[in-house]
Amino acid sequence: MRALTAVFGVLIVLKETEAWGYKNGILHNSIWLEQAAGVYHRESRKGRYQLTYKEAKAVCNFEGGTLATFDQLEAARQIGFHVCAAGWLDKGRVGYPIVKAGSNCGFGKVGIIDYGYRLNKSERWDVYCYNPVAKECGGVHTDPEKVLVSPGYPDEYQDEQICYWHIRVRFGHRIRLHFLDFDIEEDTDCLSDHLEIYDSYDDVSGFVGRYCGDQLPDDFISTGNVMTLKFLSDSSVTAGGFKLQYISVNSSQLFDLLADSFS
Ligand SMILES: *[C@@H]1O[C@H](CO)[C@@H](O)[C@H](O)[C@H]1NC(C)=O
Ligand SMILES: *[C@@H]1O[C@H](CO)[C@@H](O)[C@H](O)[C@H]1NC(C)=O
Ligand SMILES: [Ca+2]
């Protein structure tokens, strides 16, 4: 029964990969994902589900970290680490962290979706690494108010950056984004470098907009208490980067904000 569940799980996850990868010429959920409590998700540069156990270990070691343990992954999950991709863990275990139940990921369950200790270490999955001093780019943010900047700001951002910021405020509150500085390599459709806003927990649903150039994007207010920002830069031409502030607003503050914007 357990084996059946695991096989079933693999099928679901494989099916889901179609929603990831390239969509409209934009890479979705690749290489650097969010990180929390020193845990982060990695996939092979060749793409999703390409790493054997040995290779997975090498990826983490190469970056100065180790394979995350089940407990480290769970600790990260408890502060909002949510990734819809199965990866190797310490001692050959495979699983992934689900914070928010969804019909298309994690069988509607919340917790570590556990595929158990794999007997066949040649199976190919992604990996979860643990490195408490890993590069700061994106992350999970639960403060009611914070300033977020592009990597290296106020210096120019570098090529080939992928950062995810997950913002999660108190249930019932909403998130207001306000841009303070904005300068990203400009091109048609913002395909080279861009910041994307998603009114949801991931970069698959709730797409709000993709931004580049040097005009400040308009303020945005989320519909729920979570939001995802994604920054991506390609292999040439950088720019000044961005700085924005988010603020958690309750329903009465929201009412005032909306009243202001219509007066
Ligand atoms: C182990 O997994 C690999 C990759 O899925 C597969 O090619 C190989 O046949 C499996 N080995 C065994 C003994 O099942
Ligand atoms: C909303 O926040 C404001 C400012 O912090 C506070 O004065 C007010 O009581 C809050 N309203 C609700 C409904 O929580
Ligand atoms: Ca660029």
Side-chain angles (χ1 to χ4, degrees):
M1 185 58 214
R2 221 189 146 121
L4 258 183
T5 313
V7 169
F8 184 58
V10 173
L11 290 178
I12 298 268
V13 172
L14 286 179
K15 188 151 177 284
E16 188 145 299
T17 61
E18 290 161 23
W20 302 56
Y22 278 92
K23 198 165 66 185
N24 306 325
I26 299 291
L27 195 59
H28 285 259
N29 262 325
S30 175
I31 307 185
W32 279 99
L33 284 183
E34 50 166 316
Q35 56 189 68
V39 176
Y40 59 93
H41 165 264
R42 266 301 221 171
E43 65 179 39
S44 161
R45 291 194 178 272
K46 286 184 285 185
R48 193 173 165 96
Y49 295 165
Q50 298 288 337
L51 301 168
T52 63
Y53 179 60
K54 202 174 157 192
E55 289 164 349
K57 217 171 183 172
V59 164
C60 298
N61 292 348
F62 179 75
E63 293 171 350
T66 55
L67 286 167
T69 65
F70 186 89
D71 290 347
Q72 285 163 347
L73 187 65
E74 171 58 13
R77 194 193 67 80
Q78 296 210 348
I79 57 171
F81 189 61
H82 173 103
V83 182
C84 188
W88 288 108
L89 300 169
D90 191 35
K91 300 199 165 43
R93 205 164 178 174
V94 167
Y96 58 98
I98 294 299
V99 173
K100 184 175 176 242
S103 55
N104 59 349
C105 193
F107 321 105
K109 288 186 210 143
V110 163
I112 306 292
I113 309 300
D114 188 6
Y115 292 0
Y117 295 96
R118 310 308 294 177
L119 293 176
N120 183 351
K121 303 282 194 289
S122 303
E123 288 176 357
R124 293 176 185 275
W125 304 100
D126 292 351
V127 62
Y128 290 95
C129 303
Y130 176 71
N131 183 354
V133 294
K135 166 178 103 160
E136 192 51 58
C137 160
V140 177
H141 302 273
T142 55
D143 299 333
E145 177 173 347
K146 204 161 186 175
V147 169
L148 304 177
V149 297
S150 49
Y153 187 91
D155 293 336
E156 294 197 346
Y157 58 82
Q158 296 181 337
D159 291 328
E160 296 185 330
Q161 303 288 303
I162 300 181
C163 317
Y164 288 79
W165 291 264
H166 289 268
I167 305 171
R168 181 163 52 96
V169 298
R170 271 178 63 175
F171 187 74
H173 288 213
R174 289 160 72 172
I175 302 157
R176 178 189 185 218
L177 285 191
H178 175 62
F179 286 85
L180 301 166
D181 189 10
F182 199 82
D183 182 18
I184 290 180
E185 179 192 2
E186 180 159 19
D187 71 358
T188 321
D189 299 332
C190 301
L191 291 177
S192 300
D193 299 355
H194 58 249
L195 178 71
E196 286 182 337
I197 299 177
Y198 291 84
D199 192 7
S200 77
Y201 222 108
D202 55 32
D203 72 341
V204 176
S205 57
F207 179 73
V208 172
R210 179 183 306 146
Y211 307 88
C212 65
D214 57 9
Q215 276 200 338
L216 288 184
D218 288 339
D219 286 5
F220 176 75
I221 298 174
S222 65
T223 52
N225 66 323
V226 295
M227 195 187 275
T228 301
L229 304 177
K230 175 184 173 185
F231 173 67
L232 179 146
S233 64
D234 66 1
S235 58
S236 66
V237 186
T238 69
F242 62 85
K243 179 176 178 180
L244 63 87
Q245 181 188 36
Y246 80 79
I247 301 179
S248 161
V249 291
N250 66 26
S251 49
S252 55
Q253 291 166 306
L254 183 70
F255 184 78
D256 292 345
L257 278 172
L258 293 176
D260 278 353
S261 67
F262 285 116
S263 63

